[in-house]
Amino acid sequence: MHSRIIIWTMAMLMVSSVWGEQEPPTLYEYFASPNGENVTGLVAEIDGFKLNARPLRIISGAMHYFRIHPALWRDRLRKLRASGANTVETYVAWNLHEPRKDEWDFGTGENDNSVFLDIRTYIQMAKQEDLLVLLRPGPYICSEFEFGGMPSYLLRDPDMRVRTAYQPYLDRVKVYLDNLLPLVADLQFTRGGPIIGLQLENEYASFDQIELEYLEFLQQTYWDNGIDSLLFTSDGAWNGDKGSLPGVLKTANFGGDAETSFNDLLAFQPDKPVMCMEFWCGWFDHWFENHSTTTADGKGCGNSRSYSWPSVQGFCQYLHGTNFGFNAGANHIPEYAPDITSYDYDGPLSEAGDYTPKYYRIMEAFARYQIPVLKRPPLPLQSRKFAYPTLPVQTYLLYSDILEKAPASNKFQIQDRISMENFPINEGSGQSQGYVLYRKAVNIMGSDVTRFSAGRVRDFGLLIVDDELQPFPRDENGTVQYWLNSVQEYDLTLAEGEHTLDLLIENMGRVNFGALWSFDQHKGLAGNRTEVEYYHLNGEEIRDIDVVSLEFKSSWVKNLTGWRTNDGAVPLKAPVLVQSSFVIDGQPSDTFVDMSGWSKGIVFINGFNLGRYFNVGPQQTLYVPAPFLRFGENTITIFEQLQPHDEIKFSATPNLGPTAVRKFGQYGPLHLTQRGH
Ligand SMILES: *[C@@H]1O[C@H](CO)[C@@H](O)[C@H](O)[C@H]1NC(C)=O
Ligand SMILES: *[C@@H]1O[C@H](CO)[C@@H](O)[C@H](O)[C@H]1NC(C)=O
Ligand SMILES: *[C@@H]1O[C@H](CO)[C@@H](O)[C@H](O)[C@H]1NC(C)=O
Ligand SMILES: *[C@@H]1O[C@H](CO)[C@@H](O)[C@H](O)[C@H]1NC(C)=O
Ligand SMILES: *[C@@H]1O[C@H](CO)[C@@H](O)[C@H](O)[C@H]1NC(C)=O
C-alpha cells in the first residue's frame, strides 16, 4: 500500500510544479493532445488512472438526467464542477427511452418523459461544463427507479428471466443497446467527447442467478457498437468478483467504512486502482418511513480517509432530483415497500439544487485530493423559491366523469383477470404505469350479505361500490389499514338490483432491487400465479370483467374538458380530479406544492405529472422546478384517491417529513436486509 501512496504523492507534486503559481488549466486544456491526435482514453494502471497518458484521480458525482428538468442540467453540472469534481456519472433509463416496444425516444417523442430524454445533449453539456462522463447504461440500473430501469412489456412473456442469458431478454437488450450506443459512441473521449468509461449491468454480484454469458453478451454488444472506452462493473466488494468479467475493471459501492471495502476490492483485484463507484453519503426513503439523513462528518461524506486512497471516485450520491410521474421504484424489505417521489438523498445538493453542509465538506476534501489541480468555476447562485398564494379548488371531475372520459381504446373486456402488462393496449406493450379499474356489474337477488374479496392487489387497492368509495378497516387503535399488496375482504349489504363493484388498483412502482423472484412484478391483479390470488364474489372467481386503464398521460390530462364548478356547497368525494388556475406575473420561481392537507394521489402542473403524494409521509411537499411553470396562467390538477382537501397550498421550503438519522454498517444501512441502488 505504501509504495502506491508514494507514487501518487509524487505525481501530485509534479503536477503542481508544472503549473506553479499560474492559474490552473481547465480539464480539457490539461488532458487534450496538442494536435488532437493519438488520444488515449482512460487506462487503469497499477499506480492509478491515466487519461491521455496523464494521471487522473476521478472525482465524480451522480446526476441522473432523467430526474432533473433539462433547463436545470447546466446549473447542476456546474455546481458539481464547482465543488471540485471532475466527472459526472449517470445511469441510462431504458424504460423511458423505449416507452412502448420498438418505439424509441431520445428527446423527440411525445411521451410524458420526453422532456428529459435528450441524453446526447446532456453528455455534450457535461463537456461544455468541463466534466468527464461515466455512463451506466444498465440495462438494469436499480437506482430506486421503476423496475430498475427495465421496460414493463418484458413481463408479457410469462417465462421472462430478466438480467440473465434468457434469449428473449437478450434479444430486447440488444435492440436497446443498438439504439442507444450509436448515439453516444462518438461522445467517447477517444473521439473527442467526454465519456471515459461505461459500466456493464449494475451490482450483478448481488443477484441470485448470475449468468456470466449475459455480461459477455453486453460487453460484445458494446464493442460491436464502437465502444472502445474502459468498461467497468460496480458491486459491493464483500461479494467478491463473481459479478464481473476478466479484463473489466471492478469498482466498489458502499456507505460508511471505505477502508474495509477497498481492502476487499484489492484482495481480488490487486493490480488496479481502487475506485468507489457509489459512495452512499445519504439514503432514500420509502413511504411510511421517516426521511433518511446522515451526518456530514465522521464516516459520511466528510470522511477524508475515503478520498485519500490512491485513486477513488464517485464518493457521493451527489444530487438525485425527483422520481417524477410514476417513476419511483420499490424494494422488498421483506414486504413490498414503494419509494417516495422525492429523490433528495441528503447529499451535497438538495432535490432543488441547493447547497447543503455536505457540499462544503466535500469541496474541502476534493481540493486536497484532486489530481490534477484544475481551474474551477465560481459557485452558481441558488434558485429563488416562492410560495404562490393558496388556491381554492375551482373545478372538479367526478369519478364517473373520469371513467367516461378515459380514452375509448383503454376500455375493454377480459374474461379472466390479467395483469396490466397484458392488457391489449399501447400497440402490444400493455399498460406500464398508473391505475387500473376492474369493474363487475352484478345483479343482486336477495338481501343477503355479499362477500367481496380480492388480492393480492399490486399495489394499492380501493373498492368502490356504485361510485361510493368503501372505507378501509381500522385496527383496534383506529389506525387505517391500507389495502397495500395484500388480500382484502368486504362484507357488503346490497339492496336488490344492479350494482357495480369497482376494484381500482394503483401500481405504486415496480421493485428495482433483489432476487429474480422480486422482478416478477405484474401489476393490477395478476393472472394465474404460483401464489394464492383471488378476485371473488361470494367465494366464486369473478369473470367477464370490464376494464378501464387509467394511465393519466399528460396529453389526456391536458385535454380534459367538462369541468364542474366547485361552489363549495357539497364536499367533494374521492376519487376525484380537481383543478385550479393561477397567474404568475413575472419570471416563475421554484416552489413546492404542500399536500399535507390531502390524502393520496398525484399532482400535475400544466399537465406534467410531478409524482405521488401520500399523507403517511415522510414527504409532504412536491418539488416544482420553475421551468414547469410559465409567465401567465398556470394550471394545477390533482387526482385524489381518498379524501380531497378544499385548498391547494404552496411553500417556499420543502417538507420531507420527520428525519431519522441513518447509520451505515459495513455494507449499507443497518436495518435493511436487502439493499438497492
Ligand atoms: C500517432 O500514432 C501514429 C501511429 O502509431 C504514429 O505514427 C505517430 O507518430 C503518432 N503521432 C504522435 C504525435 O504521437
Ligand atoms: C394499539 O395501541 C396499544 C397501546 O399503545 C399497543 O400496545 C397496540 O400494539 C396497538 N395495536 C396495534 C394493532 O397497533
Ligand atoms: C387459472 O388457470 C386455470 C387452468 O388453466 C383456468 O381454468 C382458470 O380460469 C385460470 N384462472 C384465472 C383467474 O386466470
Ligand atoms: C382530446 O379531446 C378531443 C375531444 O374530446 C378528442 O377528440 C381527442 O382525441 C383528445 N386527444 C387526446 C390526446 O386525448
Ligand atoms: C419518526 O419521526 C417521529 C416524529 O418525529 C418520531 O416520533 C418517530 O420516533 C420517528 N421514527 C423513527 C423510526 O425514527
Side-chain angles (χ1 to χ4, degrees):
M1 239 356 56
H2 253 64
S3 58
R4 204 179 263 267
I5 288 167
I6 290 164
I7 292 167
W8 273 82
T9 310
M10 283 168 54
M12 272 171 91
L13 290 173
M14 280 163 55
V15 166
S16 41
S17 64
V18 168
W19 295 96
E21 292 302 305
Q22 324 157 305
E23 189 178 41
T26 66
L27 185 145
Y28 285 90
E29 282 166 357
Y30 183 87
F31 286 104
S33 291
N35 307 314
E37 49 182 31
N38 295 6
V39 172
T40 48
L42 185 68
V43 181
E45 295 180 347
I46 185 157
D47 61 340
F49 289 109
K50 307 280 161 55
L51 183 62
N52 216 6
R54 295 174 164 210
L56 166 69
R57 172 173 281 154
I58 301 168
I59 301 177
S60 110
M63 247 180 221
H64 305 153
Y65 62 93
F66 48 87
R67 286 184 155 124
I68 302 168
H69 192 286
L72 303 172
W73 284 348
R74 191 177 296 283
D75 170 77
R76 305 300 196 265
L77 290 168
R78 192 166 298 173
K79 283 171 176 161
L80 175 63
R81 187 69 191 85
S83 72
N86 51 34
T87 304
V88 60
E89 170 262 283
T90 186
Y91 284 123
V92 181
W94 172 13
N95 53 6
L96 301 192
H97 290 295
E98 193 187 12
R100 280 167 292 282
K101 191 175 179 185
D102 289 318
E103 181 189 324
W104 296 92
D105 188 346
F106 291 97
T108 51
E110 310 230 312
N111 300 293
D112 290 10
N113 291 295
S114 299
V115 63
F116 302 105
L117 299 183
D118 187 354
I119 184 172
R120 221 181 127 75
T121 293
Y122 183 71
I123 295 169
Q124 286 166 327
M125 195 182 284
K127 183 177 178 192
Q128 290 156 11
E129 294 301 322
D130 208 32
L131 287 160
L132 300 165
V133 172
L134 289 169
L135 199 65
R136 308 170 81 188
Y140 161 77
I141 61 172
C142 192
S143 188
E144 285 72 68
F145 207 65
E146 150 70 21
F147 201 22
M150 296 178 292
S152 64
Y153 73 73
L154 293 174
L155 298 168
R156 288 170 73 88
D157 175 350
D159 301 319
M160 179 52 61
R161 292 191 302 123
V162 297
R163 306 183 68 194
T164 70
Y166 176 61
Q167 192 60 45
Y169 173 67
L170 296 186
D171 292 345
R172 294 315 303 173
V173 166
K174 178 161 163 51
V175 177
Y176 160 57
L177 293 176
D178 287 352
N179 274 277
L180 170 74
L181 296 175
L183 268 183
V184 299
D186 69 320
L187 300 179
Q188 294 174 96
F189 190 85
T190 47
R191 301 202 211 159
I195 300 172
I196 52 171
L198 293 92
Q199 183 175 314
L200 295 177
E201 243 276 338
N202 189 43
E203 297 189 336
Y204 197 48
S206 304
F207 192 54
D208 64 344
Q209 298 210 1
I210 294 174
E211 293 178 6
L212 292 181
E213 310 94 278
Y214 164 47
L215 289 190
E216 282 160 6
F217 175 84
L218 293 181
Q219 177 175 245
Q220 189 60 49
T221 310
Y222 280 30
W223 288 341
D224 292 347
N225 278 290
I227 300 300
D228 56 11
S229 301
L230 183 101
L231 299 184
F232 59 91
T233 49
S234 97
D235 283 292
W238 59 90
N239 282 314
D241 61 357
K242 65 183 180 190
S244 192
L245 294 175
V248 171
L249 182 75
K250 292 137 194 72
T251 68
N253 297 347
F254 54 87
D257 179 12
E259 202 150 337
T260 309
S261 280
F262 286 153
N263 281 324
D264 286 351
L265 180 59
L266 277 167
F268 58 79
Q269 187 179 251
D271 56 341
K272 297 287 178 199
V274 295
M275 174 157 150
C276 170
M277 182 54 56
E278 296 178 6
F279 183 84
W280 308 323
C281 76
W283 202 248
F284 58 93
D285 304 332
H286 302 111
W287 295 112
F288 298 95
E289 287 178 357
N290 286 353
H291 175 50
S292 286
T293 57
T294 57
T295 52
D297 51 6
K299 288 195 161 185
C301 267
N303 178 13
S304 60
R305 291 195 69 152
S306 316
Y307 310 100
S308 59
W309 281 70
S311 188
V312 181
Q313 79 93 25
F315 307 104
C316 293
Q317 299 287 337
Y318 213 83
L319 155 112
H320 275 68
T322 309
N323 297 316
F324 289 116
F326 297 120
N327 289 335
N331 282 279
H332 276 286
I333 52 170
E335 287 300 309
Y336 174 76
D339 298 334
I340 65 167
T341 300
S342 169
Y343 204 45
D344 189 309
Y345 220 82
D346 192 34
L349 292 178
S350 72
E351 180 179 14
D354 291 342
Y355 302 108
T356 73
K358 285 177 184 166
Y359 185 91
Y360 302 102
R361 296 291 298 232
I362 62 157
M363 190 156 69
E364 268 172 54
F366 290 174
R368 282 169 64 194
Y369 297 109
Q370 60 182 327
I371 300 172
V373 173
L374 298 171
K375 180 174 168 178
R376 285 191 283 118
L379 265 58
L381 296 177
Q382 296 193 156
S383 69
R384 203 169 70 98
K385 314 289 187 301
F386 187 69
Y388 290 99
T390 297
L391 302 170
V393 168
Q394 293 161 354
T395 58
Y396 64 98
L397 289 175
L398 297 169
Y399 173 66
S400 52
D401 298 334
I402 301 170
L403 298 187
E404 186 210 304
K405 290 171 194 294
S409 57
N410 285 21
K411 298 179 190 177
F412 49 90
Q413 281 206 326
I414 51 175
Q415 227 175 28
D416 288 306
R417 63 186 152 83
I418 50 173
S419 68
M420 61 160 66
E421 298 80 7
N422 288 310
F423 286 171
I425 62 171
N426 289 319
E427 296 108 51
S429 297
Q431 182 180 352
S432 181
Q433 297 179 315
Y435 301 75
V436 47
L437 173 68
Y438 297 88
R439 167 170 281 190
K440 184 65 187 174
V442 293
N443 196 357
I444 299 293
M445 301 298 196
S447 57
D448 282 352
V449 168
T450 304
R451 167 158 290 200
F452 175 87
S453 60
R456 149 175 310 261
V457 294
R458 297 149 195 260
D459 303 294
F460 191 89
L462 289 177
L463 177 63
I464 300 162
V465 179
D466 301 327
D467 294 355
E468 288 286 332
L469 178 61
Q470 304 300 297
F472 293 107
R474 289 174 183 267
D475 71 10
E476 64 204 42
N477 298 327
T479 308
V480 172
Q481 301 297 292
Y482 292 109
W483 189 4
L484 181 63
N485 220 262
S486 59
V487 173
Q488 185 82 275
E489 296 196 340
Y490 285 87
D491 286 329
L492 304 167
T493 314
L494 300 175
E496 267 193 35
E498 295 276 339
H499 297 277
T500 51
L501 301 186
D502 288 358
L503 174 56
L504 180 64
I505 302 178
E506 176 193 359
N507 164 3
M508 287 191 72
R510 292 186 183 80
V511 166
N512 58 265
F513 184 80
L516 188 61
W517 63 265
S518 54
F519 290 112
D520 177 9
Q521 285 292 308
H522 293 84
K523 295 295 187 180
L525 283 175
N528 267 334
R529 315 299 310 170
T530 47
E531 65 187 273
V532 184
E533 307 271 350
Y534 307 90
Y535 182 38
H536 283 179
L537 197 61
N538 292 328
E540 298 272 320
E541 180 70 23
I542 298 176
R543 306 188 72 214
D544 302 315
I545 309 154
D546 292 317
V547 173
V548 183
S549 155
L550 290 168
E551 299 179 281
F552 283 94
K553 286 187 180 164
S554 248
S555 53
W556 180 72
V557 171
K558 284 182 189 165
N559 198 29
L560 285 170
T561 53
W563 292 89
R564 299 168 190 262
T565 303
N566 178 33
D567 57 13
V570 189
L572 299 179
K573 280 197 286 189
V576 66
L577 257 172
V578 306
Q579 193 167 77
S580 296
S581 307
F582 59 108
V583 170
I584 297 180
D585 189 10
Q587 186 78 14
S589 298
D590 278 1
T591 189
F592 300 87
V593 196
D594 180 352
M595 298 309 293
S596 55
W598 296 70
S599 298
K600 184 176 197 325
I602 43 177
V603 177
F604 300 82
I605 287 279
N606 295 323
F608 178 80
N609 186 346
L610 289 177
R612 302 184 181 91
Y613 63 91
F614 192 3
N615 61 2
V616 298
Q619 170 173 21
Q620 301 294 332
T621 55
L622 290 172
Y623 172 48
V624 187
F628 281 127
L629 299 169
R630 54 191 174 218
F631 179 87
E633 188 171 81
N634 291 267
T635 306
I636 181 165
T637 310
I638 300 172
F639 177 57
E640 167 62 54
Q641 294 157 242
L642 303 179
Q643 177 67 57
H645 192 47
D646 49 13
E647 53 185 27
I648 303 166
K649 281 191 182 154
F650 295 91
S651 171
T653 49
N655 176 359
L656 295 177
T659 56
V661 176
R662 199 162 289 243
K663 298 219 178 344
F664 285 86
Q666 186 182 343
Y667 306 138
L670 292 169
H671 82 277
L672 291 187
T673 51
Q674 297 223 34
R675 300 165 303 277
H677 267 274

